[in-house]
Amino acid sequence: MPIKVNLAVMLAQREVKSKDLAQAIGITEANLSLLKQGKVKGMRFETLAAICAQLQCQPGDILSYEDEPVAGE
């Protein structure tokens, strides 16, 4: 998938534990872990906004687009 989740990087930069972020934004640690690993198909804007507010960052700090090579090229 060309959308990459950089949440682990932001947590490390902000020195925030996953457990603390999950509790602060009202999601389970398991769901936050899946999100950190990029193993989700989508995310609610409400959740993204809560993460950004808590980590004092922008959505672009958490999500990035990386072009994937086309098969056969």
Side-chain angles (χ1 to χ4, degrees):
M1 172 182 262
I3 301 296
K4 303 297 178 195
V5 180
N6 303 311
L7 183 54
V9 173
M10 287 305 300
L11 285 169
Q13 287 178 348
R14 301 293 196 260
E15 298 179 355
V16 174
K17 293 181 182 177
S18 295
K19 177 181 177 180
D20 296 334
L21 178 62
Q23 186 176 23
I25 65 174
I27 65 172
T28 66
E29 288 180 57
N31 283 340
L32 184 63
S33 177
L34 290 172
L35 181 60
K36 261 178 43 177
Q37 297 171 43
K39 294 186 177 181
V40 295
K41 297 282 183 189
M43 178 187 340
R44 293 177 183 226
F45 284 143
E46 181 179 327
T47 302
L48 181 58
I51 291 170
C52 289
Q54 198 66 33
L55 297 180
Q56 298 180 344
C57 65
Q58 295 295 314
D61 297 328
I62 296 171
L63 303 173
S64 62
Y65 174 81
E66 295 180 14
D67 232 349
E68 292 184 338
V70 177
E73 285 189 14

Short mmCIF file of all heavy atoms in Angstrom, two decimals:
data_model
loop_
_atom_site.label_atom_id
_atom_site.label_comp_id
_atom_site.label_asym_id
_atom_site.label_seq_id
_atom_site.Cartn_x
_atom_site.Cartn_y
_atom_site.Cartn_z
N MET A 1 0.85 -1.18 0.00
CA MET A 1 0.00 0.00 0.00
C MET A 1 0.89 1.24 0.00
O MET A 1 1.85 1.30 0.75
CB MET A 1 -0.92 -0.02 1.22
CG MET A 1 -1.68 1.27 1.41
SD MET A 1 -2.72 1.28 2.85
CE MET A 1 -4.25 0.86 2.10
N PRO A 2 0.60 2.21 -0.82
CA PRO A 2 1.46 3.38 -0.93
C PRO A 2 1.37 4.36 0.24
O PRO A 2 2.19 5.25 0.36
CB PRO A 2 1.00 4.04 -2.22
CG PRO A 2 -0.38 3.57 -2.44
CD PRO A 2 -0.45 2.20 -1.83
N ILE A 3 0.38 4.21 1.12
CA ILE A 3 0.28 5.08 2.30
C ILE A 3 1.03 4.43 3.45
O ILE A 3 0.75 3.30 3.83
CB ILE A 3 -1.19 5.32 2.71
CG1 ILE A 3 -1.99 5.95 1.58
CG2 ILE A 3 -1.26 6.17 3.99
CD1 ILE A 3 -1.52 7.33 1.16
N LYS A 4 2.01 5.13 3.97
CA LYS A 4 2.82 4.63 5.08
C LYS A 4 2.46 5.37 6.36
O LYS A 4 2.25 6.58 6.35
CB LYS A 4 4.31 4.83 4.80
CG LYS A 4 4.79 4.17 3.52
CD LYS A 4 4.63 2.67 3.57
CE LYS A 4 5.07 2.06 2.25
NZ LYS A 4 4.65 0.70 2.07
N VAL A 5 2.39 4.63 7.46
CA VAL A 5 2.07 5.20 8.77
C VAL A 5 3.38 5.38 9.53
O VAL A 5 4.10 4.41 9.77
CB VAL A 5 1.10 4.29 9.54
CG1 VAL A 5 0.77 4.90 10.90
CG2 VAL A 5 -0.18 4.07 8.75
N ASN A 6 3.67 6.59 9.90
CA ASN A 6 4.91 6.93 10.61
C ASN A 6 4.65 7.25 12.08
O ASN A 6 5.38 8.03 12.69
CB ASN A 6 5.58 8.13 9.92
CG ASN A 6 5.86 7.87 8.47
OD1 ASN A 6 6.41 6.84 8.11
ND2 ASN A 6 5.47 8.79 7.61
N LEU A 7 3.63 6.63 12.64
CA LEU A 7 3.25 6.93 14.02
C LEU A 7 4.32 6.53 15.01
O LEU A 7 4.58 7.25 15.98
CB LEU A 7 1.92 6.24 14.35
CG LEU A 7 1.32 6.51 15.73
CD1 LEU A 7 1.17 8.00 15.98
CD2 LEU A 7 0.00 5.80 15.88
N ALA A 8 4.99 5.41 14.78
CA ALA A 8 6.04 4.97 15.70
C ALA A 8 7.16 6.01 15.79
O ALA A 8 7.69 6.27 16.87
CB ALA A 8 6.60 3.62 15.26
N VAL A 9 7.47 6.61 14.65
CA VAL A 9 8.51 7.65 14.61
C VAL A 9 8.08 8.86 15.44
O VAL A 9 8.86 9.39 16.24
CB VAL A 9 8.82 8.06 13.15
CG1 VAL A 9 9.78 9.25 13.12
CG2 VAL A 9 9.37 6.89 12.37
N MET A 10 6.82 9.27 15.25
CA MET A 10 6.32 10.45 16.00
C MET A 10 6.28 10.17 17.50
O MET A 10 6.62 11.05 18.30
CB MET A 10 4.93 10.84 15.51
CG MET A 10 4.92 11.51 14.15
SD MET A 10 5.99 12.95 14.03
CE MET A 10 5.30 14.01 15.28
N LEU A 11 5.88 8.96 17.87
CA LEU A 11 5.86 8.61 19.30
C LEU A 11 7.27 8.68 19.87
O LEU A 11 7.46 9.21 20.98
CB LEU A 11 5.27 7.21 19.49
CG LEU A 11 3.76 7.10 19.33
CD1 LEU A 11 3.34 5.63 19.27
CD2 LEU A 11 3.03 7.81 20.45
N ALA A 12 8.24 8.18 19.15
CA ALA A 12 9.62 8.21 19.62
C ALA A 12 10.14 9.64 19.73
O ALA A 12 10.77 10.01 20.73
CB ALA A 12 10.51 7.39 18.69
N GLN A 13 9.84 10.46 18.72
CA GLN A 13 10.29 11.85 18.74
C GLN A 13 9.68 12.63 19.90
O GLN A 13 10.33 13.48 20.49
CB GLN A 13 9.94 12.54 17.42
CG GLN A 13 10.78 12.10 16.27
CD GLN A 13 10.37 12.77 14.96
OE1 GLN A 13 9.32 13.40 14.86
NE2 GLN A 13 11.20 12.60 13.94
N ARG A 14 8.42 12.33 20.21
CA ARG A 14 7.71 13.04 21.28
C ARG A 14 7.90 12.38 22.65
O ARG A 14 7.41 12.87 23.65
CB ARG A 14 6.21 13.11 20.98
CG ARG A 14 5.85 13.83 19.68
CD ARG A 14 6.20 15.31 19.75
NE ARG A 14 5.55 16.07 18.70
CZ ARG A 14 6.12 16.45 17.57
NH1 ARG A 14 7.36 16.12 17.32
NH2 ARG A 14 5.46 17.16 16.68
N GLU A 15 8.61 11.23 22.64
CA GLU A 15 8.84 10.46 23.87
C GLU A 15 7.52 10.14 24.58
O GLU A 15 7.38 10.31 25.78
CB GLU A 15 9.82 11.18 24.79
CG GLU A 15 11.18 11.36 24.17
CD GLU A 15 12.17 12.09 25.06
OE1 GLU A 15 11.78 12.56 26.16
OE2 GLU A 15 13.34 12.21 24.65
N VAL A 16 6.55 9.65 23.79
CA VAL A 16 5.24 9.27 24.30
C VAL A 16 5.09 7.76 24.13
O VAL A 16 5.44 7.22 23.08
CB VAL A 16 4.11 10.01 23.53
CG1 VAL A 16 2.74 9.51 23.94
CG2 VAL A 16 4.22 11.50 23.73
N LYS A 17 4.61 7.10 25.16
CA LYS A 17 4.40 5.66 25.10
C LYS A 17 3.07 5.37 24.41
O LYS A 17 2.09 6.12 24.57
CB LYS A 17 4.39 5.06 26.50
CG LYS A 17 5.74 5.14 27.18
CD LYS A 17 5.70 4.53 28.54
CE LYS A 17 7.06 4.67 29.21
NZ LYS A 17 7.05 4.14 30.57
N SER A 18 3.03 4.28 23.67
CA SER A 18 1.80 3.88 22.98
C SER A 18 0.64 3.76 23.95
O SER A 18 -0.48 4.19 23.65
CB SER A 18 2.00 2.53 22.27
OG SER A 18 2.95 2.65 21.26
N LYS A 19 0.90 3.18 25.10
CA LYS A 19 -0.14 3.00 26.12
C LYS A 19 -0.75 4.34 26.52
O LYS A 19 -1.97 4.47 26.63
CB LYS A 19 0.48 2.30 27.34
CG LYS A 19 -0.46 2.10 28.48
CD LYS A 19 0.25 1.43 29.64
CE LYS A 19 -0.67 1.30 30.84
NZ LYS A 19 -0.03 0.66 31.98
N ASP A 20 0.10 5.33 26.72
CA ASP A 20 -0.38 6.66 27.13
C ASP A 20 -1.19 7.33 26.03
O ASP A 20 -2.22 7.95 26.30
CB ASP A 20 0.79 7.54 27.55
CG ASP A 20 1.52 7.01 28.77
OD1 ASP A 20 0.91 6.29 29.59
OD2 ASP A 20 2.73 7.30 28.91
N LEU A 21 -0.72 7.20 24.77
CA LEU A 21 -1.46 7.80 23.66
C LEU A 21 -2.81 7.13 23.49
O LEU A 21 -3.82 7.80 23.32
CB LEU A 21 -0.65 7.70 22.36
CG LEU A 21 -1.35 8.27 21.13
CD1 LEU A 21 -1.63 9.77 21.29
CD2 LEU A 21 -0.54 8.02 19.87
N ALA A 22 -2.83 5.81 23.54
CA ALA A 22 -4.10 5.07 23.39
C ALA A 22 -5.11 5.52 24.44
O ALA A 22 -6.28 5.77 24.13
CB ALA A 22 -3.85 3.57 23.49
N GLN A 23 -4.66 5.63 25.67
CA GLN A 23 -5.55 6.05 26.75
C GLN A 23 -6.03 7.49 26.53
O GLN A 23 -7.20 7.79 26.71
CB GLN A 23 -4.83 5.94 28.09
CG GLN A 23 -5.73 6.22 29.28
CD GLN A 23 -5.00 6.00 30.60
OE1 GLN A 23 -3.76 6.04 30.67
NE2 GLN A 23 -5.75 5.73 31.64
N ALA A 24 -5.14 8.36 26.11
CA ALA A 24 -5.48 9.77 25.93
C ALA A 24 -6.50 10.00 24.81
O ALA A 24 -7.32 10.90 24.89
CB ALA A 24 -4.22 10.58 25.65
N ILE A 25 -6.42 9.18 23.75
CA ILE A 25 -7.32 9.40 22.61
C ILE A 25 -8.52 8.46 22.60
O ILE A 25 -9.38 8.55 21.73
CB ILE A 25 -6.58 9.33 21.26
CG1 ILE A 25 -6.03 7.94 20.99
CG2 ILE A 25 -5.49 10.38 21.20
CD1 ILE A 25 -5.42 7.77 19.61
N GLY A 26 -8.55 7.53 23.56
CA GLY A 26 -9.72 6.68 23.72
C GLY A 26 -9.82 5.50 22.77
O GLY A 26 -10.92 5.14 22.33
N ILE A 27 -8.67 4.90 22.42
CA ILE A 27 -8.71 3.67 21.63
C ILE A 27 -7.92 2.60 22.38
O ILE A 27 -7.14 2.92 23.29
CB ILE A 27 -8.17 3.83 20.19
CG1 ILE A 27 -6.68 4.18 20.17
CG2 ILE A 27 -8.97 4.87 19.43
CD1 ILE A 27 -6.07 4.16 18.77
N THR A 28 -8.10 1.35 22.00
CA THR A 28 -7.39 0.28 22.68
C THR A 28 -5.92 0.27 22.26
O THR A 28 -5.57 0.73 21.17
CB THR A 28 -8.01 -1.10 22.37
OG1 THR A 28 -7.81 -1.39 20.98
CG2 THR A 28 -9.49 -1.13 22.71
N GLU A 29 -5.10 -0.28 23.13
CA GLU A 29 -3.68 -0.41 22.81
C GLU A 29 -3.50 -1.33 21.60
O GLU A 29 -2.61 -1.11 20.78
CB GLU A 29 -2.91 -0.97 23.99
CG GLU A 29 -2.76 0.02 25.13
CD GLU A 29 -1.98 -0.56 26.30
OE1 GLU A 29 -0.82 -1.01 26.09
OE2 GLU A 29 -2.53 -0.59 27.41
N ALA A 30 -4.35 -2.34 21.49
CA ALA A 30 -4.27 -3.27 20.36
C ALA A 30 -4.54 -2.55 19.04
O ALA A 30 -3.82 -2.74 18.06
CB ALA A 30 -5.25 -4.42 20.55
N ASN A 31 -5.57 -1.70 19.02
CA ASN A 31 -5.88 -0.95 17.79
C ASN A 31 -4.78 0.05 17.46
O ASN A 31 -4.43 0.23 16.29
CB ASN A 31 -7.22 -0.24 17.90
CG ASN A 31 -8.38 -1.18 17.72
OD1 ASN A 31 -8.23 -2.26 17.15
ND2 ASN A 31 -9.55 -0.79 18.20
N LEU A 32 -4.21 0.68 18.47
CA LEU A 32 -3.11 1.61 18.23
C LEU A 32 -1.90 0.86 17.69
O LEU A 32 -1.22 1.34 16.78
CB LEU A 32 -2.75 2.38 19.50
CG LEU A 32 -1.68 3.45 19.31
CD1 LEU A 32 -2.16 4.56 18.37
CD2 LEU A 32 -1.26 4.04 20.64
N SER A 33 -1.65 -0.32 18.21
CA SER A 33 -0.54 -1.14 17.73
C SER A 33 -0.72 -1.50 16.26
O SER A 33 0.23 -1.40 15.48
CB SER A 33 -0.42 -2.41 18.56
OG SER A 33 0.61 -3.23 18.07
N LEU A 34 -1.93 -1.89 15.87
CA LEU A 34 -2.21 -2.20 14.47
C LEU A 34 -2.00 -0.98 13.59
O LEU A 34 -1.45 -1.06 12.49
CB LEU A 34 -3.63 -2.73 14.30
CG LEU A 34 -3.90 -4.12 14.88
CD1 LEU A 34 -5.39 -4.43 14.83
CD2 LEU A 34 -3.10 -5.17 14.13
N LEU A 35 -2.42 0.17 14.09
CA LEU A 35 -2.25 1.42 13.35
C LEU A 35 -0.77 1.75 13.19
O LEU A 35 -0.31 2.09 12.10
CB LEU A 35 -2.97 2.55 14.09
CG LEU A 35 -2.93 3.92 13.45
CD1 LEU A 35 -3.56 3.89 12.07
CD2 LEU A 35 -3.67 4.92 14.32
N LYS A 36 0.00 1.61 14.27
CA LYS A 36 1.44 1.88 14.23
C LYS A 36 2.15 1.00 13.20
O LYS A 36 3.07 1.44 12.54
CB LYS A 36 2.06 1.60 15.61
CG LYS A 36 2.28 2.79 16.45
CD LYS A 36 2.83 2.47 17.81
CE LYS A 36 3.91 1.46 17.89
NZ LYS A 36 4.45 1.26 19.25
N GLN A 37 1.70 -0.23 13.09
CA GLN A 37 2.32 -1.19 12.18
C GLN A 37 1.83 -1.03 10.74
O GLN A 37 2.33 -1.71 9.84
CB GLN A 37 2.04 -2.61 12.64
CG GLN A 37 2.63 -2.93 14.00
CD GLN A 37 2.15 -4.28 14.50
OE1 GLN A 37 2.09 -5.24 13.74
NE2 GLN A 37 1.81 -4.34 15.77
N GLY A 38 0.85 -0.16 10.53
CA GLY A 38 0.32 0.03 9.19
C GLY A 38 -0.56 -1.12 8.73
O GLY A 38 -0.74 -1.32 7.53
N LYS A 39 -1.10 -1.87 9.66
CA LYS A 39 -1.92 -3.04 9.33
C LYS A 39 -3.41 -2.74 9.33
O LYS A 39 -4.21 -3.62 9.58
CB LYS A 39 -1.62 -4.17 10.31
CG LYS A 39 -0.22 -4.72 10.19
CD LYS A 39 -0.01 -5.92 11.07
CE LYS A 39 1.39 -6.47 10.85
NZ LYS A 39 1.62 -7.66 11.67
N VAL A 40 -3.76 -1.50 9.07
CA VAL A 40 -5.17 -1.12 9.01
C VAL A 40 -5.50 -0.64 7.60
O VAL A 40 -4.63 -0.18 6.87
CB VAL A 40 -5.52 -0.02 10.03
CG1 VAL A 40 -5.36 -0.53 11.46
CG2 VAL A 40 -4.68 1.22 9.82
N LYS A 41 -6.75 -0.78 7.22
CA LYS A 41 -7.19 -0.35 5.89
C LYS A 41 -7.63 1.11 5.89
O LYS A 41 -7.74 1.73 4.84
CB LYS A 41 -8.35 -1.23 5.42
CG LYS A 41 -7.97 -2.67 5.25
CD LYS A 41 -7.23 -2.88 3.97
CE LYS A 41 -6.93 -4.36 3.78
NZ LYS A 41 -6.04 -4.61 2.70
N GLY A 42 -7.92 1.64 7.06
CA GLY A 42 -8.38 3.01 7.13
C GLY A 42 -8.33 3.53 8.55
O GLY A 42 -8.08 2.79 9.50
N MET A 43 -8.56 4.83 8.68
CA MET A 43 -8.56 5.48 9.98
C MET A 43 -9.59 6.60 9.95
O MET A 43 -9.70 7.32 8.96
CB MET A 43 -7.16 6.06 10.25
CG MET A 43 -7.05 6.80 11.55
SD MET A 43 -5.49 7.70 11.88
CE MET A 43 -4.28 7.02 10.82
N ARG A 44 -10.33 6.75 11.02
CA ARG A 44 -11.30 7.85 11.11
C ARG A 44 -10.55 9.17 11.25
O ARG A 44 -9.52 9.25 11.92
CB ARG A 44 -12.20 7.66 12.32
CG ARG A 44 -13.11 6.48 12.22
CD ARG A 44 -13.89 6.35 13.52
NE ARG A 44 -14.72 5.18 13.43
CZ ARG A 44 -16.00 5.16 13.78
NH1 ARG A 44 -16.56 6.23 14.29
NH2 ARG A 44 -16.69 4.06 13.67
N PHE A 45 -11.09 10.19 10.61
CA PHE A 45 -10.48 11.52 10.75
C PHE A 45 -10.50 11.96 12.21
O PHE A 45 -9.60 12.65 12.67
CB PHE A 45 -11.21 12.55 9.89
CG PHE A 45 -10.88 12.47 8.43
CD1 PHE A 45 -11.84 12.69 7.48
CD2 PHE A 45 -9.60 12.17 8.00
CE1 PHE A 45 -11.55 12.63 6.12
CE2 PHE A 45 -9.28 12.10 6.65
CZ PHE A 45 -10.27 12.33 5.72
N GLU A 46 -11.51 11.55 12.94
CA GLU A 46 -11.61 11.88 14.37
C GLU A 46 -10.41 11.32 15.13
O GLU A 46 -9.82 11.99 15.98
CB GLU A 46 -12.91 11.30 14.93
CG GLU A 46 -13.15 11.59 16.39
CD GLU A 46 -14.47 11.00 16.86
OE1 GLU A 46 -15.44 10.95 16.08
OE2 GLU A 46 -14.52 10.59 18.04
N THR A 47 -10.03 10.08 14.81
CA THR A 47 -8.87 9.45 15.46
C THR A 47 -7.59 10.16 15.05
O THR A 47 -6.73 10.44 15.89
CB THR A 47 -8.80 7.96 15.09
OG1 THR A 47 -10.02 7.33 15.48
CG2 THR A 47 -7.63 7.28 15.77
N LEU A 48 -7.46 10.45 13.77
CA LEU A 48 -6.28 11.17 13.28
C LEU A 48 -6.15 12.53 13.94
O LEU A 48 -5.07 12.92 14.38
CB LEU A 48 -6.34 11.32 11.75
CG LEU A 48 -5.17 12.01 11.08
CD1 LEU A 48 -3.85 11.30 11.37
CD2 LEU A 48 -5.41 12.10 9.58
N ALA A 49 -7.26 13.23 14.07
CA ALA A 49 -7.26 14.55 14.72
C ALA A 49 -6.85 14.44 16.19
O ALA A 49 -6.07 15.26 16.69
CB ALA A 49 -8.63 15.21 14.60
N ALA A 50 -7.34 13.41 16.87
CA ALA A 50 -7.00 13.22 18.28
C ALA A 50 -5.51 12.92 18.44
O ALA A 50 -4.86 13.42 19.36
CB ALA A 50 -7.84 12.10 18.88
N ILE A 51 -4.97 12.09 17.55
CA ILE A 51 -3.54 11.78 17.59
C ILE A 51 -2.72 13.04 17.36
O ILE A 51 -1.77 13.33 18.09
CB ILE A 51 -3.18 10.70 16.55
CG1 ILE A 51 -3.79 9.35 16.95
CG2 ILE A 51 -1.67 10.59 16.37
CD1 ILE A 51 -3.69 8.29 15.87
N CYS A 52 -3.10 13.81 16.36
CA CYS A 52 -2.38 15.05 16.05
C CYS A 52 -2.44 16.04 17.21
O CYS A 52 -1.44 16.69 17.53
CB CYS A 52 -2.93 15.69 14.78
SG CYS A 52 -2.50 14.76 13.29
N ALA A 53 -3.60 16.16 17.83
CA ALA A 53 -3.75 17.08 18.96
C ALA A 53 -2.85 16.64 20.13
O ALA A 53 -2.18 17.46 20.75
CB ALA A 53 -5.20 17.15 19.40
N GLN A 54 -2.85 15.34 20.38
CA GLN A 54 -2.08 14.81 21.51
C GLN A 54 -0.58 14.93 21.27
O GLN A 54 0.17 15.25 22.17
CB GLN A 54 -2.48 13.36 21.75
CG GLN A 54 -2.10 12.83 23.10
CD GLN A 54 -2.83 13.51 24.23
OE1 GLN A 54 -3.98 13.91 24.11
NE2 GLN A 54 -2.16 13.67 25.35
N LEU A 55 -0.15 14.66 20.03
CA LEU A 55 1.28 14.70 19.72
C LEU A 55 1.74 16.06 19.19
O LEU A 55 2.93 16.24 18.89
CB LEU A 55 1.62 13.61 18.69
CG LEU A 55 1.39 12.17 19.12
CD1 LEU A 55 1.76 11.21 18.00
CD2 LEU A 55 2.18 11.85 20.39
N GLN A 56 0.81 16.99 19.07
CA GLN A 56 1.10 18.33 18.57
C GLN A 56 1.85 18.26 17.24
O GLN A 56 2.98 18.75 17.10
CB GLN A 56 1.88 19.15 19.59
CG GLN A 56 1.11 19.37 20.87
CD GLN A 56 1.88 20.17 21.89
OE1 GLN A 56 3.08 20.34 21.80
NE2 GLN A 56 1.16 20.70 22.87
N CYS A 57 1.18 17.61 16.27
CA CYS A 57 1.77 17.46 14.94
C CYS A 57 0.69 17.60 13.88
O CYS A 57 -0.47 17.83 14.21
CB CYS A 57 2.47 16.10 14.83
SG CYS A 57 1.35 14.68 14.94
N GLN A 58 1.07 17.46 12.64
CA GLN A 58 0.15 17.54 11.52
C GLN A 58 -0.07 16.13 10.95
O GLN A 58 0.78 15.26 11.10
CB GLN A 58 0.74 18.44 10.42
CG GLN A 58 0.90 19.89 10.83
CD GLN A 58 -0.44 20.55 11.10
OE1 GLN A 58 -1.36 20.40 10.31
NE2 GLN A 58 -0.53 21.25 12.21
N PRO A 59 -1.21 15.92 10.26
CA PRO A 59 -1.45 14.61 9.65
C PRO A 59 -0.31 14.14 8.76
O PRO A 59 0.02 12.95 8.73
CB PRO A 59 -2.74 14.82 8.85
CG PRO A 59 -3.46 15.90 9.59
CD PRO A 59 -2.36 16.81 10.09
N GLY A 60 0.32 15.05 8.06
CA GLY A 60 1.44 14.70 7.19
C GLY A 60 2.67 14.22 7.94
O GLY A 60 3.57 13.62 7.36
N ASP A 61 2.73 14.48 9.24
CA ASP A 61 3.82 13.96 10.05
C ASP A 61 3.61 12.48 10.36
O ASP A 61 4.57 11.76 10.65
CB ASP A 61 3.93 14.72 11.38
CG ASP A 61 4.28 16.19 11.19
OD1 ASP A 61 5.00 16.50 10.22
OD2 ASP A 61 3.81 17.02 11.99
N ILE A 62 2.36 12.04 10.29
CA ILE A 62 2.00 10.67 10.64
C ILE A 62 1.82 9.80 9.40
O ILE A 62 2.17 8.62 9.40
CB ILE A 62 0.71 10.66 11.48
CG1 ILE A 62 0.98 11.39 12.80
CG2 ILE A 62 0.21 9.24 11.73
CD1 ILE A 62 -0.25 11.64 13.62
N LEU A 63 1.28 10.37 8.33
CA LEU A 63 0.99 9.62 7.12
C LEU A 63 1.83 10.16 5.97
O LEU A 63 2.01 11.37 5.84
CB LEU A 63 -0.49 9.74 6.75
CG LEU A 63 -1.49 9.29 7.80
CD1 LEU A 63 -2.91 9.62 7.35
CD2 LEU A 63 -1.35 7.81 8.07
N SER A 64 2.33 9.25 5.13
CA SER A 64 3.06 9.68 3.95
C SER A 64 2.69 8.79 2.77
O SER A 64 2.24 7.66 2.96
CB SER A 64 4.57 9.65 4.19
OG SER A 64 5.00 8.33 4.46
N TYR A 65 2.87 9.31 1.58
CA TYR A 65 2.59 8.57 0.35
C TYR A 65 3.92 8.21 -0.30
O TYR A 65 4.76 9.08 -0.52
CB TYR A 65 1.75 9.42 -0.60
CG TYR A 65 1.54 8.76 -1.95
CD1 TYR A 65 0.57 7.78 -2.11
CD2 TYR A 65 2.33 9.10 -3.03
CE1 TYR A 65 0.39 7.16 -3.33
CE2 TYR A 65 2.15 8.50 -4.26
CZ TYR A 65 1.18 7.52 -4.41
OH TYR A 65 1.01 6.90 -5.62
N GLU A 66 4.09 6.93 -0.56
CA GLU A 66 5.29 6.46 -1.24
C GLU A 66 4.89 5.71 -2.49
O GLU A 66 4.18 4.70 -2.40
CB GLU A 66 6.12 5.57 -0.30
CG GLU A 66 6.65 6.33 0.90
CD GLU A 66 7.46 5.46 1.84
OE1 GLU A 66 7.85 4.35 1.42
OE2 GLU A 66 7.68 5.89 2.96
N ASP A 67 5.35 6.19 -3.62
CA ASP A 67 5.01 5.55 -4.89
C ASP A 67 5.51 4.11 -4.91
O ASP A 67 6.64 3.84 -4.49
CB ASP A 67 5.70 6.32 -6.03
CG ASP A 67 4.73 6.71 -7.13
OD1 ASP A 67 3.59 6.23 -7.13
OD2 ASP A 67 5.15 7.50 -7.98
N GLU A 68 4.67 3.22 -5.37
CA GLU A 68 5.08 1.83 -5.52
C GLU A 68 5.43 1.57 -6.97
O GLU A 68 4.75 2.05 -7.88
CB GLU A 68 3.96 0.89 -5.09
CG GLU A 68 3.68 0.94 -3.61
CD GLU A 68 2.62 -0.06 -3.18
OE1 GLU A 68 1.81 -0.50 -4.02
OE2 GLU A 68 2.59 -0.39 -1.99
N PRO A 69 6.50 0.83 -7.21
CA PRO A 69 6.87 0.53 -8.59
C PRO A 69 5.78 -0.30 -9.28
O PRO A 69 5.17 -1.16 -8.65
CB PRO A 69 8.17 -0.25 -8.47
CG PRO A 69 8.25 -0.69 -7.05
CD PRO A 69 7.39 0.23 -6.25
N VAL A 70 5.57 -0.02 -10.55
CA VAL A 70 4.58 -0.77 -11.32
C VAL A 70 5.20 -2.11 -11.72
O VAL A 70 6.35 -2.16 -12.16
CB VAL A 70 4.17 0.04 -12.58
CG1 VAL A 70 3.20 -0.76 -13.43
CG2 VAL A 70 3.58 1.38 -12.17
N ALA A 71 4.43 -3.18 -11.57
CA ALA A 71 4.92 -4.51 -11.91
C ALA A 71 5.36 -4.58 -13.37
O ALA A 71 4.67 -4.06 -14.26
CB ALA A 71 3.85 -5.56 -11.64
N GLY A 72 6.48 -5.18 -13.63
CA GLY A 72 6.96 -5.34 -15.00
C GLY A 72 7.89 -4.22 -15.46
O GLY A 72 8.38 -4.24 -16.58
N GLU A 73 8.12 -3.24 -14.64
CA GLU A 73 9.01 -2.14 -15.04
C GLU A 73 10.38 -2.33 -14.48
O GLU A 73 10.64 -2.88 -13.51
CB GLU A 73 8.45 -0.79 -14.56
CG GLU A 73 7.29 -0.34 -15.38
CD GLU A 73 6.87 1.09 -15.05
OE1 GLU A 73 7.64 1.81 -14.37
OE2 GLU A 73 5.80 1.48 -15.46
#
